[in-house]
Amino acid sequence: MVGATALTSGQEGGSSPEAKAGCVHRKSGALRLSKAGAGCRRGERRIRWGRDGGRGSAGAAGAAGPAGRAGAAGAAGPAGATGGAGPQGARGPRGEFEFGDFDGMPCPDGEIALTYDDNGEARFACS
């Protein structure tokens, strides 16, 4: 194991531009460096390190960020179509009037004429 510590202490994070190769004894775990094309001895298996592997799978999606600022107000839209007539409104309160207000108002045969007789009674006529 002392050999393994000495081999890796020269690397500082990440992968080396040159892949390293070696052989590990299957029973003792002893590491022996070898050249890239050299084979391993009986009872050893080949290992490599210090090279980039394939691309890993995508990680899980992160949490949603905070809401952004409200945007500027948009332009006014086109005018809508004219609506239909509304329902008849309620009858208003009775107004105050005087008899003289009727004099000269239109009627089916002309205008209303207001006259008073000798007793002070008012008479309306349409003429």
Side-chain angles (χ1 to χ4, degrees):
M1 288 302 170
V2 173
T5 302
L7 290 174
T8 61
S9 64
Q11 296 180 5
E12 293 183 19
S15 62
S16 169
E18 289 184 31
K20 308 294 184 212
C23 298
V24 176
H25 193 272
R26 294 182 193 269
K27 291 185 182 180
S28 69
L31 173 64
R32 181 177 62 82
L33 288 179
S34 66
K35 293 188 178 187
C40 292
R41 298 176 186 159
R42 190 180 321 184
E44 294 178 336
R45 68 180 172 92
R46 186 91 168 146
I47 61 167
R48 291 186 182 103
W49 69 93
R51 62 180 178 170
D52 290 335
R55 183 180 182 130
S57 59
R69 296 184 315 223
T82 302
Q88 176 69 36
R91 186 174 184 152
R94 183 173 178 177
E96 294 185 24
F97 61 93
E98 295 181 13
F99 282 127
D101 294 339
F102 292 103
D103 194 24
M105 290 181 72
C107 65
D109 293 330
E111 290 183 349
I112 296 176
L114 173 62
T115 59
Y116 293 93
D117 65 14
D118 292 336
N119 296 328
E121 291 182 13
R123 295 191 185 251
F124 294 97
C126 186
S127 56

